[in-house]
Amino acid sequence: MQHVRLGIIGLGVMGRSHAHNILKGKVPRLRLAAVADSDPARLAKFGDLPGFTSDRALIASGLVDAVLIATPHNFHTDTGIAALKAGLHVLVEKPISVQRADCERLIAAHQDRRLVFAAMFNQRGDPLYRKLRDLVQSGKLGEIRRVQWTVTNWFRPHAYYSLNAWRATWAGEGGGVLLNQCPHNLDLFSWIFGQPRRVRGFCGFGRYHDIEVEDDVTAYFDLPGGATATFIASTGEAPGTNRLEVAAENGRVVAENGALRFTRNLVPTAEFSRTTKEPFAAPPTRDLTFTFKDAGAQHVAILRNFADAIVRGAALIAPAAEGIRSVELANAILLSSWTGKPVELPFDSALYARWLKRKILSSPRRTGVAAA
């Protein structure tokens, strides 16, 4: 196989963006072979391609080797399972599902390991986060003591939430900023620092917008090894901030404004504390700054990697099985906020499913969710 025949399921904002990148030749090994969406007007914009009004029709068409699932979140699980069972390679937009139990069902459907199953975590290709991960994973920072990530530059006005009936509803998205905007940040957090073992979440539901889901979040994480972390996110603050700070034995790293600033201790913190005779002294430091020409190829990089994995057996940047981690974190923050208690990870998937079902059933907006 030299080229992969790809079908895109869901022609919303992201689906159309992926389609145009492929049609412009940005992903040489991918050929857009078919599209699916429940809206005929969206299909009409791709009139030169075979179009289907249901995901199952495209999956059964025989026209594609792989699918990219870009539907509203709550359809990712069943569409992904159907595609995998049909013997198709699958790339699923973030989040891979809206709750941990559905992630488990989707991942369990990946029985044929010859099929490539990937997730659209495009920020894993950003050289800034790759460099930070190397500093952490290689031990160059030493023991991690504290992590603080304030990511409030996801501002969205009221008009954003009016774009589609499924947006900002428990039935349509399964959450707000945690399930829509922050899967990337939560994925990066877990990818760089490891999955927290305990979560305490505080969420504001409709604090800044006329919505039922969370648009403001503060969470506290206990990490393996004893480090702690705070994670703050919002779609209601402007101007927002995206600042990730890591305090470690060998210094401090700050990721902000496209650069990494490493204030390196010339003597490790614990060693200096034990050996200095000066009561108000601190370790001497040296500043290192890492800059990057851009944020990488982002979505196009994941598309290229997906195609290369199918054609050449390349290792995946973002295996879909790892997508459960960001969903688990988002769910744990919500569950903690609902119950007012810390949540140990991994938590009871059935318990969360019951809570989410209650939210959907009590929601006045549970109808009108459009399928792709």
Side-chain angles (χ1 to χ4, degrees), residues 245-278:
E245 180 177 316
V246 184
E249 177 68 11
N250 294 335
R252 181 188 67 231
V253 175
V254 176
E256 190 172 24
N257 298 325
L260 275 180
R261 300 190 307 278
F262 181 13
T263 303
R264 186 170 68 85
N265 292 335
L266 299 183
V267 180
T269 303
E271 178 185 342
F272 185 89
S273 181
R274 288 193 306 269
T275 59
T276 186
K277 304 302 182 183
E278 299 295 328

Side-chain angles (χ1 to χ4, degrees), residues 19-355:
H20 291 314
N21 281 332
I22 295 166
L23 292 172
K24 290 176 182 177
K26 294 183 180 180
V27 192
R29 295 187 187 276
L30 284 185
R31 297 281 176 81
L32 188 56
V35 292
D37 197 282
S38 60
D39 185 347
R42 290 180 176 178
L43 291 175
K45 295 179 180 179
F46 296 89
D48 293 337
L49 293 169
F52 300 88
T53 55
S54 77
D55 55 352
R56 302 306 195 273
L58 185 149
I59 289 168
S61 69
L63 298 176
V64 300
D65 309 302
V67 295
L68 192 168
I69 302 170
T71 58
H73 307 157
N74 61 326
F75 296 103
H76 290 182
T77 304
D78 290 341
T79 299
I81 290 172
L84 289 168
K85 288 185 175 179
L88 299 178
H89 305 284
V90 173
L91 173 58
V92 60
E93 261 290 352
K94 57 78 184 172
I96 66 167
S97 296
V98 300
Q99 59 174 307
R100 191 174 187 274
D102 286 341
C103 291
E104 292 167 337
R105 288 199 298 122
L106 178 56
I107 293 168
H110 186 208
Q111 296 292 317
D112 186 346
R113 295 300 163 172
R114 294 171 299 179
L115 298 178
V116 175
F117 186 26
M120 185 55 79
F121 286 115
N122 48 283
Q123 292 195 27
R124 286 193 182 193
D126 188 322
L128 182 151
Y129 292 116
R130 296 184 74 84
K131 179 64 176 179
L132 177 58
R133 185 173 189 264
D134 175 67
L135 290 172
V136 172
Q137 300 283 323
S138 67
K140 294 175 184 176
L141 294 184
E143 181 182 353
I144 304 300
R145 296 188 166 197
R146 179 180 55 79
V147 179
Q148 180 175 325
W149 200 348
T150 299
V151 53
T152 55
N153 62 335
W154 288 118
F155 177 76
R156 295 292 185 269
H158 288 277
Y160 170 82
Y161 294 104
S162 302
L163 286 173
N164 306 98
W166 55 269
R167 288 186 186 275
T169 64
W170 295 116
E173 292 197 270
V177 64
L178 290 169
L179 270 296
N180 189 317
Q181 286 79 27
C182 284
H184 290 299
N185 308 103
L186 294 174
D187 173 69
L188 288 171
F189 189 98
S190 177
W191 187 57
I192 294 170
F193 304 107
Q195 193 75 334
R197 57 187 179 85
R198 184 183 298 110
V199 170
R200 180 66 174 98
F202 303 87
C203 297
F205 300 96
R207 179 177 178 182
Y208 299 113
H209 308 86
D210 183 21
I211 58 176
E212 63 189 23
V213 295
E214 81 288 351
D215 57 1
D216 189 75
V217 171
T218 299
Y220 177 91
F221 302 153
D222 287 330
L223 300 178
T228 60
T230 53
F231 182 84
I232 299 168
S234 178
T235 57
E237 296 182 15
T241 297
N242 190 341
R243 177 185 170 92
L244 173 54
E245 180 177 316
V246 184
E249 177 68 11
N250 294 335
R252 181 188 67 231
V253 175
V254 176
E256 190 172 24
N257 298 325
L260 275 180
R261 300 190 307 278
F262 181 13
T263 303
R264 186 170 68 85
N265 292 335
L266 299 183
V267 180
T269 303
E271 178 185 342
F272 185 89
S273 181
R274 288 193 306 269
T275 59
T276 186
K277 304 302 182 183
E278 299 295 328
F280 298 103
T285 62
R286 177 179 298 164
D287 288 334
L288 301 172
T289 300
F290 303 96
T291 58
F292 311 90
K293 64 178 182 178
D294 55 37
Q298 294 287 316
H299 299 92
V300 170
I302 297 295
L303 290 169
R304 290 173 181 165
N305 176 244
F306 180 59
D308 286 344
I310 296 170
V311 175
R312 297 173 35 245
L316 286 175
I317 295 171
E322 295 179 7
I324 193 172
R325 298 173 189 168
S326 57
V327 175
E328 181 180 59
L329 269 180
N331 290 175
I333 294 169
L334 286 168
L335 184 59
S336 175
S337 188
W338 289 334
T339 62
K341 300 177 181 178
V343 172
E344 303 283 338
L345 272 58
F347 56 82
D348 182 352
S349 299
L351 172 64
Y352 185 84
R354 290 194 296 271
W355 268 95

